[in-house]
Amino acid sequence: FMDYAAVQYAFKGINAGVLALLFKALWNMYKKSPKGWAAYVVMGGSFLLTAILKINLFLVILGCAVFGLVTAKIAERKVQK
């Protein structure tokens, strides 16, 4: 079926639609998320690790969770002082 031009065009249209949905979801998440230096570090670092260095996504998610816990504990200690 992939030899037919109509099927190829349909899949290209589907790819564009999926990309648009992904960007919309990303934009909605960005608007609702707290912004600060830690969020930008996690965002940029996770992009670099997955897209450029090809690090396993599970390890990146685990690292982001640890980073979030550490920054939350540091912020909690600052508030207590």
Side-chain angles (χ1 to χ4, degrees), residues 14-60:
I14 291 170
N15 285 343
V18 169
L19 184 62
L21 288 173
L22 287 172
F23 277 126
K24 184 177 184 330
L26 178 68
W27 182 251
N28 287 339
M29 286 174 35
Y30 176 77
K31 288 192 311 187
K32 293 178 183 178
S33 68
K35 286 136 185 102
W37 67 271
Y40 290 116
V41 166
V42 168
M43 181 178 54
S46 61
F47 174 77
L48 289 174
L49 290 173
T50 56
I52 296 174
L53 299 178
K54 307 291 186 204
I55 304 291
N56 187 339
L57 184 60
F58 177 74
L59 295 175
V60 173

Side-chain angles (χ1 to χ4, degrees), residues 1-8 11:
F1 287 107
M2 289 303 292
D3 293 336
Y4 295 113
V7 173
Q8 292 174 356
F11 275 106

